Amino acid sequence: MSDEAGIKQSEGEVYFPSQSVIDNAHCKDYDSMYKRSIEDPEKFWGDIAEEFEWSQKWDKVYDESTPPFFKWFTGGKTNIVTNAIDRHLKTFRKNKLALIWESESGDDVRTYSYFSLNREVIKFANVLKSMGVQKGDIVTIYMPRVPELMFAMLACAKIGAAHSVVYGGFSVEALAERIEDAQSKVLITADGGYMRGKIVNLKQIADEALARQGTIEHCVVVRRTGHEIYMEPGRDYWYHDLLSVPVVNQPCETEQVDAETMLFILYTSGTTGRPKGVIHTHGGYMVYTATTFKYVFDINDEDRYWCAADPGWITGHSYIVYAPLLNGSTSFMYEGAPNFPYPNRWWKMIEKYGITILYTAPTAIRGLMRFGNAWPNRHDLSSLRILGSVGEPINPEAWKWYYEVIGKSNCPVMDTWWQTETGGFMITPLPVTPLKPGSATRPFFGIDVDVLDLDGKSAPTGEEGILVIKKPWPAIMRGILHDPERYKQQYWSKYTTMYEAGDSARKDKDGYIWVIGRLDDVIKVSGYRLGTAEIESALVSHSAVAEAAAIGLPHDVKGHVIHCYVVLRAGYAASDSLVEELKKHVGHEIGPIAKPEKVNFMDSLPKTRSGKIMRRLLKARALGLPEGDKSTLEE
Ligand code: WT7
């Protein structure tokens, strides 16, 4: 069923937790707690929600009256910021560090207690209010990995507006179409960011994107690099100038909103068409992300937690910004590349800050593994007690290196399977779970998963099938912005009562889930999710290109890389320089992560008789595999 090549899964090996891991665990008995969560989800989630602050209690924990548009904690009023910041100010956590940030150069370190985080968020919130941002508006944020990114997100939430963060690695067209779709009136960006010692000209990209859309009225610019940039009078404002406006330094109350008020949208790639704006809301998302974080990382007040993802992705939204703050934890954030200037950059910071939990992606692990053991071995990594992985299946070789060389065989690896759409971890071990390298193990509390065959029946043990979630959970996406039909179609059309994730998986004899990969035309490059349609549309926006097809091929470090097939317009000739130009063009339109590794020219693309490009066939040919069923091919 799946066409993923190369991931070997070794079911035989099991790694058991040590006594110290068990002693520290918030949950020592997964089975009984899981059983409770499935038998009575309303009681289970209702009890947990009681631990948060609500200005008005909910009428109903779970509302399934209009499937598949499920609601949680309806009638309840709160704000995720009330629980992520405000309530900590009444406890010892007021003076606890919320965030430690280090610049790529290492010359700059900034720390924020919960008290100072609150102050920064209030300033940003007042800036937004003074620009006329109101409840229900969507503010677009396009920033490098700096603390202000986090402040801006929290400021939106605080005043009841929603944020739409566009990853700082995206480029002109990706940004323009997201702004347009969200109808944002305010954009928050920076002059630039640092990556591998070079300046990324974010403002310049933003200017080009702004020229392609018609909704932005104000643009707030945070100074990070200090290089010369264009500032449009009447539209662009330096953030540091706005701070001298008196109202910005006034107090600002956290707006109390309905549990189902939109907290953010985050665009992600699907099978076809433009990226879709996935909607998450205050109440259910808050309860679910906080709970997953607490149990999966066994978080305590002494911890220093580091999620090395970018805040611009769901991993960063949920597990850099919201869940850690909801738990009153101390997070570390690093601005730059993992191997800059040397491959020990990460290990040095783990030692320096005494990081206890590290959460990253298989592609980063494989990338650092290439440099050998000497780099990590130069550093004292003994502060680590739990490791995490996310983004794609982790191959057992990388898993073992992570476990043995980084974790010194003392730190369980939490391989967390989830998606932008799910808001939080779905299939994941707890620290007490016996681990099998390459398996995300068991469902989290309240998550009812299965692997189905094509007829919709449970697939036999060991057989590959379609991964589904049989019951809604508090952080399930609330839909796609402006497109409820697409939400139904994409996730609920095959089985109607079950959420279809788009992945294939197997279940083993112990009930462990082994996720294999995407079933659709989504390509995961270094864990980043890209749709073939976006890459193809970037290519055809070049004047030389008539038609294009993109496929993902397996790669040792990146998981997958993009190969493209291009049919030229009359009057253009294939050449090496055109290949380079097309690669650059895709990078400029979508972002460096989408740059194809290879561009091949063809006279025509293989298509079905109904005109669909047969990417499956292109892929089989590229890999030298059998071409399979060609009965629908238009010759
Ligand atoms: C897709 C979702 C959720 C944060 C980052 C990705 C793949 C994610 C795992 C894992 C196997 C994984 C799936 C999923 N995926 N984590 N631990 N094991 N596959 O979010 O960009 O929405 O991508 O990533 O294919 O469907 P995303």
Side-chain angles (χ1 to χ4, degrees), residues 268 313-315 359 362 389-394 414-422 424 427 438 440 501-503 515-518 522 524 527-529:
T268 192
W313 299 95
I314 191 68
T315 312
Y359 186 36
S389 172
V390 62
E392 55 184 321
I394 179 163
M414 301 298 100
D415 177 359
T416 60
W417 177 89
W418 59 296
Q419 310 177 294
T420 306
E421 295 89 333
T422 70
I427 304 174
D503 281 6
V515 176
I516 296 163
R518 298 291 307 186
V522 166
K524 281 254 156 175
Y528 296 126
R529 178 166 161 183

Side-chain angles (χ1 to χ4, degrees), residues 196 338-340 342-344 346-347 360-373 375-376 392 394-395 397-398 401-402 406 526 555-559:
R196 294 183 187 286
N339 55 354
F340 184 85
Y342 300 109
N344 66 334
W346 275 18
W347 319 129
T360 185
T363 182
I365 299 165
R366 289 189 298 258
L368 290 166
M369 187 170 126
R370 272 186 316 173
F371 298 109
N373 299 357
W375 292 103
E392 55 184 321
I394 179 163
N395 48 311
E397 199 196 355
W401 186 82
Y402 197 30
I406 304 308
S526 301
H555 183 273
D556 281 349
V557 174
K558 297 181 179 175

